[in-house]
Amino acid sequence: MRGAARVVWGRAGQRWARPRVPGSGPRLTVPLAVLLAVLLGGAGAQYSSDLCSWKGSGLTHEAHRKEVEQVYLRCSSGAVEWMYPTGALIVNLRLNTFTAARHLTLCIRPLKDSSGANIYLEKTGELKLLVRDGDHGPSQVHCFGFEQAGLFVEATPQQDISRRTTGFQYELSGRRAGSDLHALSAPCRPCSDTEVLLAVCTSDFVVRGAIQAVTHDPELQESAIHLQVSRLYRQKSSLFRPAPEGGWQGRVTTLLECGVRPGRGEFLFSGHMHFGEPRLGCAPRFEDFQRMYRDAEARGLNPCEMGVE
């Protein structure tokens, strides 16, 4: 079953005005006629049989028409994969919970080798370029408040679409962009004392341990930090497993550009799960964390309590 009904922009055969590809910052205004066509056409659209992910093809479009697919998704994570892209997609994300949209953050990450389309954030008739056709590096993660979420995916002109597939993964979380999304917004900047204290209370994993080794993957532009953990404060999905010599062991990832190297002593590692991978957030030396914690505790400013011995 197709993921959504087809909708023609305006009258049959009418072409929409293709928006100029903006740089970082400029926004594009969508003509009112285009928005009306989307809204009116969307009323008859069907939901995908898989409410988490959608996979479709542009080959069903008639070559002389510019058409748009309405795609509806209702999960906290999933993927969109569009083979032979022509025309455009409107990706509508809806909630299955009563959580207020203003408390949620949406992140998208282009699929590896994604090509053939630009991805825009749509808000109140304006388009802001998120991912330019061909920019699909593994570190290209874009996050924004869910209340702003409306994704417009437009195919770019191609001489040959036979080998083109565009797509992205998406993920909803209860974290606010600009606060504890430090690992995405500024992954290589050391955390401030306030950020560290907040991270130990809100992260998906918090562990005390030492770096065993660091391995680099130039293709993915990532570094894997292999940890020997002496104390496990919090974790999700059994990231760290018991080690034969005692304690726990596991790995977390960060960007290659951060230049992580093995260091002596113990650190406090914290971070979040993003697209199934544990991403490093804050990692102060443990003695520095002890100082931060005790200073905040003495002033009654600790956001939560934990053992620091």
Side-chain angles (χ1 to χ4, degrees):
M1 182 175 90
R2 291 188 54 77
R6 294 185 301 173
V7 180
V8 180
W9 288 105
R11 298 179 180 177
Q14 180 179 350
R15 295 175 181 269
W16 72 69
R18 180 178 300 278
R20 294 178 295 104
V21 176
S24 57
R27 295 173 179 266
L28 303 175
T29 301
V30 182
L32 179 61
V34 172
L35 292 178
L36 288 175
V38 172
L39 293 174
L40 294 174
Q46 298 178 353
Y47 284 94
S48 168
S49 57
D50 180 348
L51 297 181
C52 296
S53 297
W54 180 89
K55 185 175 183 179
S57 169
L59 292 181
T60 57
H61 292 174
E62 297 179 31
H64 67 284
R65 292 185 176 182
K66 292 281 189 176
E67 297 186 349
V68 61
E69 296 278 355
Q70 290 276 354
V71 176
Y72 294 87
L73 302 171
R74 288 184 173 270
C75 291
S76 60
S77 63
V80 171
E81 186 176 359
W82 192 21
M83 299 178 294
Y84 320 117
T86 60
L89 299 178
I90 297 289
V91 181
N92 303 278
L93 292 168
R94 300 291 184 264
L95 291 176
N96 271 338
T97 70
F98 294 104
T99 305
R102 66 180 181 275
H103 296 150
L104 295 172
T105 293
L106 175 67
C107 294
I108 68 167
R109 180 173 70 174
L111 298 178
K112 185 180 179 181
D113 298 326
S114 175
S115 65
N118 295 323
I119 303 175
Y120 300 87
L121 175 66
E122 186 279 325
K123 183 181 181 183
T124 61
E126 295 183 335
L127 296 179
K128 179 180 180 181
L129 182 66
L130 293 178
V131 183
R132 192 185 303 272
D133 183 12
D135 292 346
H136 48 73
S139 61
Q140 291 289 321
V141 176
H142 303 270
C143 298
F144 39 86
F146 180 71
E147 70 275 11
Q148 304 174 19
L151 296 175
F152 179 79
V153 187
E154 184 191 28
T156 54
Q158 304 289 338
Q159 293 293 326
D160 179 13
I161 65 170
S162 62
R163 295 184 180 181
R164 303 284 180 175
T165 297
T166 193
F168 58 88
Q169 295 173 283
Y170 72 90
E171 183 179 78
L172 273 171
S173 72
R175 297 180 295 276
R176 293 287 295 178
S179 58
D180 50 349
L181 282 174
H182 166 269
L184 293 174
S185 61
C188 302
R189 174 178 62 81
C191 294
S192 66
D193 290 7
T194 300
E195 287 170 333
V196 169
L197 293 171
L198 184 61
V200 300
C201 303
T202 61
S203 295
D204 292 337
F205 63 88
V206 181
V207 300
R208 173 183 177 179
I211 300 175
Q212 285 187 313
V214 179
T215 56
H216 305 293
D217 190 327
E219 181 179 356
L220 293 179
Q221 288 294 295
E222 288 185 345
S223 295
I225 308 168
H226 303 266
L227 304 179
Q228 178 65 41
V229 174
S230 59
R231 183 160 183 180
L232 189 62
Y233 294 100
R234 184 185 308 117
Q235 71 166 336
K236 287 186 177 180
S237 306
S238 300
L239 297 176
F240 301 94
R241 299 182 180 278
E245 62 275 19
W248 298 265
Q249 58 187 11
R251 69 173 186 87
V252 298
T253 60
T254 191
L255 297 183
L256 181 64
E257 67 188 69
C258 294
V260 176
R261 293 174 294 178
R264 295 181 179 179
E266 286 198 310
F267 299 80
L268 187 77
F269 300 95
S270 63
H272 289 285
M273 299 294 296
H274 286 290
F275 302 104
E277 286 288 326
R279 303 291 296 191
L280 181 64
C282 299
R285 288 191 174 275
F286 191 73
E287 58 265 28
D288 292 335
F289 167 68
Q290 288 177 308
R291 174 191 53 77
M292 299 174 199
Y293 185 90
R294 287 168 179 158
D295 288 349
E297 186 177 41
R299 292 178 290 158
L301 298 178
N302 275 0
C304 65
E305 295 184 0
M306 64 179 291
V308 295
E309 301 303 327

